[in-house]
């Protein structure tokens, strides 16, 4: 009996990390609910909303969707429901699935009478509405979040580097080919110990022009909300940007562009082993080679002069003692 209780307790403990992992993957940020009234929502809408949320959860990591999925249920404007999920571009299918599964349950609790809702997590965003928002830029509402700590060294230079970094990430995201993730990350060198890590992402159903417009609008809001802040994000239903002083994305999973790379490290001078001369190998070579060349040239010159002397002596006839 004690063994059975032990096994039950052990299994319960093993399930706790799974629940915690799903919540950590989600990491709730913000939500907006457009609440319904009794005249704008009906039973058919509720049924279709449940179908949309179920479909989003089951298709979150389907092949070839790049962490993005849209679906709709209903036949007329009174019960039509449109739903969409997007996961952060550097995350694995497992993290994406955990976030979306958690979001489909969490949004119902936070927006129990929502006819249109959007909920943001660090790993994914989920949205549903009674209006068709697919392939359309919806910049409003824009929301901002920031780290309360300010940079301590040269705020103006820091703000300029942030602007350069997020603009480059936005360019990457907007220039992605059709069907690919509209996602970009940049690592910008600040000094010997710190970098700026920035990320930009749009929903993949937007055109490059629409994605670019959305991200530029988000970036334009940074000076008002987040000047000199060491970390911030601005997000909307269609796009968002995020930067930090620490690596918050998986750089190994994406091509991170490095701006202003750090200067090369100074050459390392190896210590001279004890008991040996401190004269470098290069100096030894510089001394030995000229000496060797000089010796070789001297030998060649000596041989040449000796042969020439022999030829001169042989060309003069010997005197045989007779007078001519």
């Amino acid at each position: 009996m004690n063994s059975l209780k032990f096994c039950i307790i052990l299994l319960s403990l093993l399930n706790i990390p799974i629940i915690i992992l799903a919540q950590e993957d989600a990491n709730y940020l913000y939500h907006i609910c457009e609440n319904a009234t009794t005249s704008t929502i009906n039973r058919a809408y509720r049924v279709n909303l449940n179908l949309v949320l179920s479909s989003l959860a089951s298709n979150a990591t389907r092949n070839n969707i790049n962490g993005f999925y849209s679906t709709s249920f209903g036949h007329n404007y009174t019960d039509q429901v449109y739903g969409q999920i997007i996961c952060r571009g550097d995350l694995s299918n497992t993290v994406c699935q955990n976030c979306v599964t958690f979001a489909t349950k969490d949004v119902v609790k936070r927006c129990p009478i929502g006819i249109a809702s959007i909920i943001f997590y660090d790993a994914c965003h989920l949205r549903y509405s009674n209006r068709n928002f697919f392939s359309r830029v919806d910049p409003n509402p824009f929301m901002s979040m920031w780290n309360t700590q300010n940079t301590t060294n040269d705020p103006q230079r820091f703000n300029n580097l942030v602007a350069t970094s997020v603009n480059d990430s936005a360019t990457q995201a907007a220039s992605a080919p059709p069907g690919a993730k509209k996602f970009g990350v940049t690592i910008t060198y600040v000094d010997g110990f710190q970098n700026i890590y920035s990320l930009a992402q749009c929903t993949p159903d937007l055109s490059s022009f629409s994605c670019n417009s959305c991200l530029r609008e988000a970036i334009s809001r940074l000076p008002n909300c987040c000047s000199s802040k060491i970390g911030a994000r601005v997000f909307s239903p269609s796009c968002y940007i995020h930067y930090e002083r620490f690596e918050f994305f998986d750089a190994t999973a994406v091509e991170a562009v490095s701006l202003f790379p750090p200067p090369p490290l100074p050459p390392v001078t190896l210590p001279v082993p004890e008991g040996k001369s401190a004269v470098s190998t290069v100096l030894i070579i510089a001394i030995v080679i000229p000496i060797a060349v000089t010796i070789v040239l001297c030998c060649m010159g000596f041989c040449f002069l000796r042969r020439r002397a022999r030829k001169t002596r042989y060309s003069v006839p010997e005197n045989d003692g007779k007078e001519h």
Side-chain angles (χ1 to χ4, degrees), residues 11 16 22 122 133 137 149 180 189 206 208 216-217 240 250 262 267 298:
L11 288 173
I16 290 174
D122 189 53
F133 56 85
V137 176
Q149 183 179 348
Y189 174 75
L206 296 183
S208 293
R216 302 303 168 187
E217 175 67 22
Y240 71 102
D250 183 3
C298 288

Side-chain angles (χ1 to χ4, degrees), residues 54-246:
S54 176
S55 179
L56 293 177
S58 61
N59 288 281
T61 56
R62 198 181 69 186
N63 291 338
N64 301 322
I65 66 166
N66 290 325
F68 172 78
Y69 183 71
S70 300
T71 188
S72 65
F73 283 86
H75 302 289
N76 54 66
Y77 70 94
T78 60
D79 63 12
Q80 191 86 17
V81 185
Y82 302 86
Q84 185 180 89
I85 57 97
I86 180 170
C87 292
R88 210 175 72 201
D90 62 313
L91 299 179
S92 67
N93 282 347
T94 300
V95 175
C96 178
Q97 183 69 69
N98 287 342
C99 183
V100 173
T101 301
F102 183 80
T104 56
K105 297 176 174 59
D106 193 35
V107 72
V108 175
K109 295 176 183 178
R110 296 182 187 272
C111 303
I113 56 172
I115 194 169
S117 306
I118 182 168
I119 189 163
F120 297 91
Y121 306 89
D122 189 53
C124 69
H125 300 168
L126 182 148
R127 183 185 184 190
Y128 71 83
S129 177
N130 61 335
R131 298 182 298 273
N132 185 356
F133 56 85
F134 298 162
S135 302
R136 300 177 183 176
V137 176
D138 198 352
N140 294 311
F142 266 106
M143 292 146 285
S144 305
M145 299 177 70
W146 57 87
N147 192 309
T148 55
Q149 183 179 348
N150 290 333
T151 185
T152 56
N153 297 323
D154 197 351
Q156 186 57 53
R157 176 175 179 268
F158 178 78
N159 289 336
N160 291 340
L161 289 175
V162 167
T164 300
S165 189
V166 294
N167 273 289
D168 187 80
S169 295
T171 299
Q172 291 180 57
S175 61
K181 296 178 183 179
K182 285 187 165 49
F183 177 80
V185 292
T186 303
I187 302 173
T188 303
Y189 174 75
V190 178
D191 54 41
F193 302 97
Q194 295 177 325
N195 295 318
I196 295 172
Y197 300 86
S198 66
L199 177 154
Q201 185 165 14
C202 297
T203 56
D205 59 339
L206 296 183
S207 67
S208 293
F209 177 82
S210 297
C211 175
N212 186 65
S213 298
C214 187
L215 289 172
R216 302 303 168 187
E217 175 67 22
I219 292 170
S220 71
R221 295 172 183 264
L222 282 176
N224 293 330
C225 72
C226 315
S227 179
S228 303
K229 301 300 181 184
I230 63 171
R233 61 181 97 197
V234 179
F235 44 97
S236 75
S238 299
C239 69
Y240 71 102
I241 58 170
H242 183 189
Y243 77 86
E244 298 286 354
R245 294 297 293 269
F246 60 90

